[in-house]
Amino acid sequence: RGVHFSENHSIDEQARDDENTVTVARAWALSMGSSGVLWDMAHAPLTCVLVVVNVALWFYLWNYRVEVRRVSFNYDLVVKDGHFWRIVTSTFSHLAVLHVGFNMASLWSLRGVEVYVGTLEYFKITWILTVMSEVFIVIGTYVLIKYFRREQQRHVHAIGYSCVVFGLMTIGSQMGMSNLNLFGIPLPLQLAPFGALILTSLLIPNASFLGHLAGIIVGYLYAWGLFVWVTDYIFFCGLFWTVVVVVGSLKRTTDLPLGCITIESLDDDQDIEVSFD
């Protein structure tokens, strides 16, 4: 269900639009003024789960000093070697405290999107942003390598939930929601995706401009109704095949004895550049 607007409205359509705007405002105000954890769990359960999962994975990676190359998105590893599972692991992985803190604070501030569209639609949005953002990253990286001779892009390893967060910011701005409170800094949501893009570049070293931009693009495509054809049935079918592809690529490109995932070793002398999405 995409959010899009037409210039030609009848009186009834205008009334529905006005009612829709009020509903958006109420959902946003309710989420911003929630009375506690139980309220948030009831009205934005998937947002709560996603925050917990991201933070738990960050703690695991930090506690066990997992190397970024074990979970990151890399163009050659994904496109040439078929490590499609990295689309998922890179999205939910963070290494720096500031990185996970920035993304989770932004995600929590955007829980009004789930309150308004509902948990199932929010799940669908998350899936679309996760998969399609990586598609745009692959296309963008190919263009940089092929036409701009940016061979260093082959050595970039990207991680982070920012693609989804920036997409949600964009969708929220098109829904008519008001402000995003980020670390105490109120940002008008219409400008939040680009304001956060600048803020991230200033605060987080090696922030991935391409990854953030991909999330913004997919967010606009959703808001403009280009994914309206993704019905619940198509979504669950797509989710099923996503799991199949991820598990299949894990079995093909990694050692998977008795359900215990062991990632194949990489050459330690390979020069890499780490990029945070």
Side-chain angles (χ1 to χ4, degrees):
R1 179 177 55 189
V3 179
H4 55 285
F5 305 94
S6 173
E7 293 182 359
N8 298 317
H9 291 314
S10 66
I11 296 177
D12 291 339
E13 288 174 334
Q14 184 62 51
R16 284 195 296 269
D17 285 347
D18 293 341
E19 182 179 356
N20 183 62
T21 301
V22 173
T23 303
V24 173
R26 286 175 177 171
W28 194 248
L30 283 172
S31 66
M32 294 301 100
S34 61
S35 57
V37 175
L38 293 179
W39 192 99
D40 292 322
M41 291 178 64
H43 292 82
L46 187 54
T47 300
C48 295
V49 170
L50 289 171
V51 170
V52 170
V53 168
N54 275 277
V55 173
L57 285 176
W58 162 78
F59 180 78
Y60 176 87
L61 296 174
W62 171 82
N63 187 56
Y64 289 97
R65 303 297 189 268
V66 177
E67 190 179 7
V68 65
R69 289 183 295 179
R70 305 301 179 191
V71 295
S72 61
F73 177 93
N74 173 264
Y75 178 81
D76 280 346
L77 288 176
V78 173
V79 175
K80 290 187 175 181
D81 298 336
H83 291 207
F84 302 120
W85 51 269
R86 291 179 179 272
I87 292 175
V88 176
T89 59
S90 64
T91 299
F92 292 92
S93 297
H94 302 80
L95 292 183
V97 177
L98 183 60
H99 188 206
V100 68
F102 182 92
N103 279 347
M104 293 306 100
S106 301
L107 180 61
W108 187 246
S109 296
L110 290 162
R111 62 192 183 278
V113 176
E114 181 181 1
V115 174
Y116 173 65
V117 303
T119 298
L120 178 58
E121 184 68 17
Y122 185 79
F123 191 8
K124 186 190 302 182
I125 292 172
T126 301
W127 174 72
I128 291 173
L129 290 173
T130 300
V131 175
M132 293 306 300
S133 293
E134 300 296 345
V135 171
F136 276 96
I137 290 174
V138 169
I139 294 173
T141 303
Y142 172 81
V143 170
L144 289 174
I145 294 173
K146 179 73 174 179
Y147 299 102
F148 295 91
R149 302 294 187 267
R150 297 288 299 275
E151 288 294 325
Q152 62 268 32
Q153 291 295 318
R154 297 185 183 277
H155 305 300
V156 172
H157 286 248
I159 56 174
Y161 202 71
S162 299
C163 290
V164 179
V165 168
F166 276 70
L168 289 173
M169 286 183 192
T170 305
I171 292 170
S173 69
Q174 297 301 296
M175 286 179 174
M177 293 179 176
S178 54
N179 292 334
L180 173 70
N181 193 307
L182 192 59
F183 294 122
I185 303 174
L187 294 175
L189 206 56
Q190 292 287 348
L191 303 177
F194 303 100
L197 181 61
I198 297 173
L199 188 60
T200 303
S201 300
L202 294 175
L203 294 179
I204 301 177
N206 299 325
S208 173
F209 180 85
L210 179 59
H212 298 161
L213 182 61
I216 293 174
I217 292 174
V218 178
Y220 275 119
L221 293 180
Y222 174 87
W224 292 339
L226 271 71
F227 293 107
V228 70
W229 55 271
V230 182
T231 62
D232 293 346
Y233 174 77
I234 293 177
F235 163 60
F236 283 114
C237 288
L239 184 62
F240 170 78
W241 283 110
T242 301
V243 173
V244 169
V245 170
V246 168
V247 172
S249 65
L250 270 172
K251 290 184 177 180
R252 189 174 66 83
T253 63
T254 68
D255 298 325
L256 196 64
L258 301 177
C260 179
I261 301 175
T262 304
I263 306 300
E264 62 184 6
S265 60
L266 298 173
D267 296 334
D268 292 334
D269 58 351
Q270 180 184 1
D271 293 331
I272 67 169
E273 178 185 341
V274 179
S275 176
F276 296 121
D277 282 345

